[in-house]
Amino acid sequence: MSYPGYPPSDGYPAFPGYPPTGQESVYPPAGQYTYPAVPGGYPPAGGGTYPAAPPSAGFPGAGYPAPGGYPGAPQAGGMPPYPGGAGFGVPPAGPGFGGYPQPPAQNYAGGGPAQIPGFPGGQAPSPMPGPPAAMVQDTQGTIRAAPDFDAGRDAEILRKAMKGFGTDEQAIIDVVANRSNDQRQKIKAAFKTMYGKDLIKDLKSELSGNVEELILALFMPSTYYDAWSLRHAMKGAGTQESVLIEILCTRTNQEIREIVNCYKSEFGRDIEQDIRADTSGHFERLLISMCQGNRDENQTVDYQKAQEDAQRLYQAGEGRLGTDESCFNMVLASRSFPQLKATVEAYSRIANRDLLSSIDREFSGNVERGLKTIVQCALNRPAFFAERLYHSMRGAGTDDSTLIRIVVTRSEIDLVQIKQMFTQMYQKTLATMIASDTSGDYRRLLLAIVGQ
């Protein structure tokens, strides 16, 4: 399937598997996505074009889709504008990267080609399932389970690497960077069975600094690592709010519920009580909402509901004096990510500005960053993490904990897509920036994880 003007002439890299092969070269694909009938036919008889895109959508020309591509696709002159905000910033200017990137609509389950609620005649699309599974881009990690895995053999390699004078760090790196998290847990168990010693304690005695933190993170079960990170963010004086946002606002329902249970079982504490003790106001309420793990995960997009939610958000913010914060919390905490993406698109047509910009105007501080994180994940989750990685290494010094946490937690989920978005947004590879910002065994292990 091909769309006019996509990819743009400036060389915007194609997403793997996009456009889908073997599909019709028409838009929308025949038999999959239909527009509701309107008097006189659709497109309008004699016109041959769709209604003009509103100026707020940022698409040139009077026709719809806009010349050079379909709605939501990157245009040759740049991408839809993305306003900067506290803690997020704006990707550097460059061809095709002038704003917050959005992947093609069909990369998201439930996305389908962009639809415009409020057609001539006042009709809007009815609820409609997303594209077939074959048209939805799979996420992909840089680390996969090793074939011919032998936990005992790996345990022996690690034992030899730490035995005697000195440590063979490269042997340790070769094992831990090429095994899945589940396989690492088996190695840990085999090590204790074979040698009667705790692998983690041995590693801690042999390593130090950032490479120690990175290897220990790799050996933590993924759910425990998230729970540990949250506990660490709220323990002692001060609170690392950015860690709470990064984890609680981006995980799936199942992941959230497992984290909450792990937090209770491993640390003997109630995460909601800790959040209430360490945060306040609307930010506290947003995090408590996230802890429920009750976001709608139905992949069907209801465009009428998206239009209503967009109007509701406008009336709660831009359309009134003051802000109804609870309305933003309700919509952004409960709707599915594909549904939120449709709401964001509808909002830009109602408010003549995008939702990220309105949140920037209506909120401040941590609640602003939390709400924007949810919207960014609805639009393009890999781009959100790419931006976090960039800012962890940008400027003087490195936020190593953030760098380690994102590389480790996304290594088996979507680090391949994060790397692609990083290159598109910043005109350099993630590996290049890691190599220039880190050194020694720490650098070698990070580069091995990201697949360089």
Side-chain angles (χ1 to χ4, degrees):
M1 185 192 307
S2 61
Y3 299 105
Y6 188 86
S9 57
D10 61 359
Y12 187 86
F15 284 76
Y18 182 85
T21 57
Q23 303 290 333
E24 305 90 350
S25 57
V26 297
Y27 180 79
Q32 294 184 30
Y33 306 104
T34 58
Y35 295 93
V38 296
Y42 194 84
T49 62
Y50 296 96
S56 62
F59 300 117
Y64 183 84
Y70 61 97
Q75 304 297 310
M79 304 183 78
Y82 164 57
F88 290 103
V90 181
F97 305 106
Y100 197 78
Q102 295 188 41
Q106 287 172 332
N107 279 1
Y108 277 79
Q115 304 271 350
I116 303 294
F119 288 93
Q123 300 186 26
S126 57
M128 181 174 71
M135 298 173 65
V136 178
Q137 171 158 330
D138 293 329
T139 54
Q140 183 182 340
T142 55
I143 293 181
R144 298 192 176 188
D148 303 321
F149 171 67
D150 185 331
R153 181 180 59 204
D154 285 345
E156 189 175 356
I157 292 171
L158 293 178
R159 172 64 175 157
K160 289 180 179 178
M162 294 184 286
K163 189 176 180 181
F165 294 103
T167 304
D168 185 352
E169 288 88 356
Q170 189 59 52
I172 297 174
I173 290 172
D174 289 342
V175 171
V176 299
N178 294 288
R179 305 293 185 270
S180 68
N181 189 276
D182 181 64
Q183 290 175 333
R184 291 186 214 112
Q185 306 314 311
K186 290 181 171 66
I187 295 170
K188 199 161 54 173
F191 192 93
K192 183 169 284 189
T193 299
M194 294 166 66
Y195 304 110
K197 301 183 71 177
D198 188 287
L199 175 60
I200 302 305
K201 288 182 179 178
D202 276 14
L203 287 169
K204 289 183 73 170
S205 68
E206 297 289 332
L207 305 169
S208 62
N210 291 322
V211 71
E212 175 190 351
E213 182 180 345
L214 177 54
I215 285 182
L216 295 183
L218 287 165
F219 272 101
M220 291 184 192
S222 55
T223 299
Y224 177 87
Y225 184 39
D226 274 346
W228 179 90
S229 298
L230 291 170
R231 176 68 190 131
H232 187 71
M234 292 185 281
K235 189 177 181 180
T239 304
Q240 300 174 48
E241 290 87 355
S242 61
V243 177
L244 306 183
I245 292 169
E246 178 197 304
I247 295 175
L248 294 176
C249 293
T250 66
R251 303 304 195 246
T252 66
N253 285 349
Q254 181 178 346
E255 288 169 341
I256 290 288
R257 292 167 186 165
E258 290 174 352
I259 290 167
V260 169
N261 291 335
C262 179
Y263 194 95
K264 179 72 171 178
S265 62
E266 295 295 329
F267 306 114
R269 304 179 67 90
D270 185 281
I271 193 170
E272 287 189 27
Q273 292 180 5
D274 282 357
I275 288 172
R276 288 192 175 96
D278 273 59
T279 62
S280 61
H282 297 292
F283 181 53
E284 172 195 329
R285 295 171 201 169
L286 178 64
L287 294 182
I288 295 298
S289 292
M290 295 295 100
C291 284
Q292 307 314 302
N294 283 331
R295 181 181 299 282
D296 179 18
E297 291 187 335
N298 185 350
Q299 298 301 291
T300 298
V301 176
D302 183 338
Y303 291 96
Q304 180 63 49
K305 186 176 183 180
Q307 181 79 1
E308 293 168 358
D309 280 347
Q311 186 67 45
R312 185 180 287 119
L313 291 173
Y314 178 75
Q315 294 298 333
E318 297 280 0
R320 59 172 286 171
L321 185 62
T323 307
D324 180 358
E325 294 89 354
S326 62
C327 178
F328 279 82
N329 193 104
M330 182 274 291
V331 172
L332 297 185
S334 61
R335 305 295 189 251
S336 71
F337 284 114
Q339 183 69 32
L340 283 178
K341 187 172 186 291
T343 300
V344 170
E345 293 166 354
Y347 184 91
S348 68
R349 296 186 291 272
I350 292 172
N352 286 327
R353 74 173 75 248
D354 61 55
L355 184 55
L356 284 169
S357 178
S358 289
I359 291 173
D360 200 35
R361 288 159 58 93
E362 298 291 326
F363 294 87
S364 62
N366 292 314
V367 66
E368 174 200 341
R369 288 192 284 272
L371 292 171
K372 288 170 73 172
T373 295
I374 295 170
V375 173
Q376 289 167 323
C377 284
L379 294 174
N380 189 334
R381 190 186 308 262
F384 166 76
F385 285 111
E387 189 175 14
R388 287 279 289 158
L389 285 170
Y390 177 77
H391 285 283
S392 75
M393 295 179 281
R394 182 186 181 188
T398 303
D399 181 355
D400 293 292
S401 290
T402 295
L403 174 59
I404 290 169
R405 187 175 56 256
I406 295 177
V407 166
V408 170
T409 58
R410 310 313 292 185
S411 62
E412 294 183 49
I413 301 174
D414 56 0
L415 192 51
V416 168
Q417 282 75 24
I418 291 169
K419 286 166 56 181
Q420 291 169 347
M421 293 310 308
F422 193 98
T423 302
Q424 292 168 18
M425 292 164 69
Y426 303 110
Q427 296 86 57
K428 65 174 73 174
T429 66
L430 175 58
T432 299
M433 198 160 182
I434 287 174
S436 65
D437 238 58
T438 60
S439 61
D441 296 322
Y442 179 46
R443 171 175 20 185
R444 283 198 291 275
L445 180 52
L446 281 172
L447 292 177
I449 296 169
V450 301
Q452 296 300 127

